[in-house]
Amino acid sequence: MAYASSSLKETLSLLSKEGELYEKLPDGKVICFACGHRCKILKGLPGICKVRFNQNGTLYVPFGYVGAIQLDPIEKKPFFHALPGNKALSFGMLGCDYHCSYCQNWVTSQALRDPAADAVAKPILITPREFINLALKQEAKVVTSTYNEPLITSEWAVEIFKEAKKEGLVTSYVSNGNGTPEVLEYIKPYVDLYKVDLKGFQDKNYRKLGGKLETVKTTIQKLVEKGFWVEVVTLVIPGFNDSEEELRNIARFLKGVSPYLPWHVTAFHKDYKMTDPEDTRAETLMKATSIGLEEGLFFVYPGNLPNEVKEYENTVCPFCKETLIRRIGYKILENRIQDGCCPDCHAIIPGVWLKKDGTLLKNLLKNQAHE
Ligand code: SF4
């Protein structure tokens, strides 16, 4: 059921409850630590994300609705090393702590910041149990918080994921990585998979999007150390982040975290307010892929241009070099991984896999970070 009200802001203020990721200050201000902005918020005002707000010295946060629901292949998130070929039921709320001009989810993420988004964004009332029943009915093995920045709506995601865990479902975040130690600790018991957008390697560009490079780098390191399954995505945008130097710097940083960390280099297409750069060409993605492999990453995947990137969408055993998973776009053509291992050389393959008996196996990067 869509929620009817006179304005989106009023509606969302009703769909809120007291948050858990904040601290009250004696003067009535609050400090929110759901994301790296760490807003100190005066009474009566919202934080940078616009959806968490201080009402009489209490922080209220989004709760009890979704802005969008969709069933997708897990490869679309993208996770390539987690339950290949399975479905993920995704939900998003409204609002974001960044304001990227090329956002592909701007209707949900830029709500309360862009009147064009407000005109079409509609919260849909749902309970965690109803959402999980939907996932079970659709035979999704994974549930995902995405479409807006999940960190800023973590209290609601955790509520849904608690129900997901009762049914043995795998849970995931698709996030910009603007994290804090507190929010990562808070979500750790409930979130299995974590995708981070690493949008470039220049702090000045990160500031234009509303973030800081250092915070995202720290989040990636902490996620691996804490034992989340992590995959990183860089949307390669001509003229913004596609220089050899920048791509090489990203690859070197990721290799330093773990050479087994999957890096998706995906193609940009004109979106939202960023319409100047040309769409990313296959040659550029192949250049980024080669750079990642040269720098010592084992799993580099060019994305968004299926059929134009040859066999590079496949997963290859880092040890014996045999092909393990064959893909075209989001479609799995063959998966040869057996109980988390290469069937040829029996090496352990990093990722989250389903065993033959249906149980879950986690081969985590934190155990392999410095091999
Ligand atoms: S989630 Fe981030 S942007 Fe929103 S109020 Fe909290 S610290 Fe500020």
Side-chain angles (χ1 to χ4, degrees):
M1 179 181 70
Y3 201 91
S5 181
S6 53
S7 81
L8 184 63
K9 189 175 173 196
E10 285 167 17
T11 302
L12 294 185
S13 69
L14 295 173
L15 296 173
S16 303
K17 70 157 210 172
E18 184 177 359
E20 297 182 0
L21 287 157
Y22 85 106
E23 202 176 293
K24 292 185 184 198
L25 298 178
D27 56 4
K29 291 186 197 122
V30 298
I31 297 183
C32 173
F33 30 75
C35 91
H37 291 322
R38 292 190 171 278
C39 297
K40 193 183 272 190
I41 311 171
L42 297 170
K43 273 187 190 172
L45 292 180
I48 290 171
C49 60
K50 308 283 186 200
V51 292
R52 297 168 75 92
F53 56 93
N54 179 347
Q55 190 168 297
N56 298 322
T58 297
L59 183 74
Y60 282 83
V61 307
F63 210 81
Y65 77 91
V66 293
I69 301 180
Q70 190 166 307
L71 187 70
D72 291 315
I74 191 165
E75 283 72 21
K76 194 174 173 186
K77 302 297 103 190
F79 288 108
F80 273 20
H81 286 237
L83 283 68
N86 281 284
K87 289 182 279 189
L89 188 67
S90 296
F91 66 92
M93 299 191 85
L94 299 174
C96 191
D97 51 342
Y98 279 14
H99 46 261
C100 307
S101 54
Y102 53 86
C103 185
Q104 293 168 348
N105 293 313
W106 61 273
V107 169
T108 44
S109 71
Q110 296 306 305
L112 301 187
R113 192 178 279 132
D114 183 336
D118 290 7
V120 277
K122 294 273 178 294
I124 303 161
L125 301 187
I126 195 164
T127 66
R129 191 62 240 173
E130 284 167 345
F131 182 80
I132 295 306
N133 285 345
L134 202 55
L136 296 172
K137 197 169 159 202
Q138 304 279 356
E139 299 182 344
K141 289 225 168 0
V142 182
V143 289
T144 303
S145 181
T146 178
Y147 307 135
N148 75 320
E149 172 48 45
L151 288 169
I152 69 170
T153 47
S154 283
E155 286 92 343
W156 176 238
V158 161
E159 206 65 14
I160 290 184
F161 291 172
K162 281 178 182 168
E163 287 296 316
K165 289 287 160 202
K166 288 181 195 164
E167 301 293 344
L169 298 177
V170 171
T171 58
S172 60
Y173 262 29
V174 170
S175 163
N176 62 26
N178 187 25
T180 63
E182 294 93 333
V183 74
L184 298 188
E185 192 63 26
Y186 177 77
I187 64 171
K188 178 65 192 72
Y190 309 104
V191 178
D192 300 301
L193 320 174
Y194 202 116
K195 189 214 87 172
V196 182
D197 270 328
L198 182 53
K199 295 171 189 285
F201 220 66
Q202 296 186 60
D203 190 54
K204 71 174 172 37
N205 281 345
Y206 252 100
R207 304 262 171 173
K208 287 183 203 158
L209 307 176
K212 291 183 193 158
L213 173 61
E214 244 357 89
T215 309
V216 182
K217 286 167 64 183
T218 304
T219 300
I220 292 171
Q221 286 161 330
K222 293 277 169 235
L223 287 165
V224 170
E225 279 168 28
K226 282 178 162 295
F228 293 82
W229 173 257
V230 185
E231 302 196 20
V232 171
V233 175
T234 300
L235 183 69
V236 179
I237 303 174
F240 181 73
N241 62 5
D242 68 337
S243 72
E244 170 159 353
E245 184 190 5
E246 185 150 3
L247 293 168
R248 218 168 265 291
N249 284 339
I250 295 173
R252 283 180 186 150
F253 163 70
L254 296 178
K255 158 94 187 302
V257 178
S258 167
Y260 301 100
L261 185 56
W263 184 33
H264 302 259
V265 285
T266 56
F268 161 82
H269 61 267
K270 294 180 175 61
D271 221 321
Y272 195 37
K273 293 178 181 169
M274 194 184 258
T275 52
D276 286 342
E278 287 307 308
D279 290 358
T280 313
R281 293 184 308 169
E283 298 95 273
T284 308
L285 285 197
M286 293 311 297
K287 179 185 81 173
T289 306
S290 302
I291 288 171
L293 295 170
E294 280 164 24
E295 291 298 332
L297 290 170
F298 289 114
F299 306 114
V300 187
Y301 299 110
N304 287 355
L305 292 178
N307 296 316
E308 293 184 56
V309 291
K310 300 182 229 164
E311 72 284 7
Y312 286 93
E313 290 178 292
N314 294 343
T315 298
V316 172
C317 175
F319 305 98
C320 71
K321 308 298 178 198
E322 291 296 327
T323 300
L324 298 171
I325 303 174
R326 289 195 303 121
R327 307 179 178 82
I328 292 187
Y330 307 139
K331 194 170 169 52
I332 299 292
L333 305 178
E334 185 183 21
N335 177 5
R336 298 178 60 242
I337 293 179
Q338 290 178 2
D339 288 352
C341 294
C342 171
D344 300 307
C345 72
H346 308 293
I348 293 172
I349 306 302
V352 176
W353 314 106
L354 274 181
K355 291 169 73 174
K356 278 194 227 84
D357 63 8
T359 56
L360 206 64
L361 179 72
K362 291 186 176 182
N363 294 336
L364 294 176
L365 293 166
K366 71 170 182 172
N367 303 323
Q368 299 164 318
H370 302 294
E371 282 179 13

